[in-house]
Every structure is written in structure tokens, then in C-alpha cells.
Amino acid sequence: MNELEALIALTHTQYLGPVKVRLLLKYFGSALAALEGKQKEIASLPGFGEKISASVSKCKEEDSWRRDVELAHRYSTEIISY
């Protein structure tokens, strides 16, 4: 998984909107690092908690975000992050 794929996975995570994704990126320094963050550490961040941290941990196991990557590849488009 590369950084863009990790960012896409975070945006597909339940209970995470753009503000919380950016908070994770700011805290961890990258989307990859955020996905590897410990559940307790994420839960301790202001505005997060156990439900959101569990959702972030679970998103690593799911692959619904891959559909966006596959569609971009199929139609020769580029996914651009913020």
C-alpha cells in the first residue's frame, strides 16, 4: 500500500470525515503512519475515541477503497489528494 492508497482507505473509513482525516495526518505525519497507529493512541486524540479508533483499525482489513483505485486505473484517470 502506498501513501495515496492509505489516504483513500482513510477516507473510506466509517466515522472519519475530511477534518478527522487531516487531524490524523497532522498527528501521525502520513496516512500510512495513521493506519499503523495503535488503536489506543488514536482513541486518545481529541474528538476521536474508541468507536473511531476501532473503525480505523478495521479499515486496514477491508478493501472497499480498492474499487476507487481500480476505477481510476480502468478509466486512465488520476486520483489527486488535497
Side-chain angles (χ1 to χ4, degrees), residues 4-67:
L4 182 59
E5 291 171 339
L7 185 58
I8 294 167
L10 284 174
T11 61
H12 277 261
T13 302
Q14 188 176 15
Y15 311 119
L16 282 185
V19 172
K20 289 202 183 314
V21 169
R22 283 197 175 206
L23 288 172
L24 284 173
L25 295 177
K26 184 176 180 183
Y27 181 82
F28 286 101
S30 74
L32 282 169
L35 285 178
E36 295 303 318
K38 296 186 191 254
Q39 197 168 341
K40 266 185 151 177
E41 188 175 13
I42 294 170
S44 71
L45 296 173
F48 283 78
E50 292 297 323
K51 182 166 73 170
I52 293 173
S53 66
S55 187
V56 172
S57 293
K58 185 179 173 186
C59 92
K60 291 183 278 190
E61 300 163 10
E62 296 179 354
D63 64 350
S64 62
W65 58 270
R66 289 186 194 275
R67 185 170 186 273

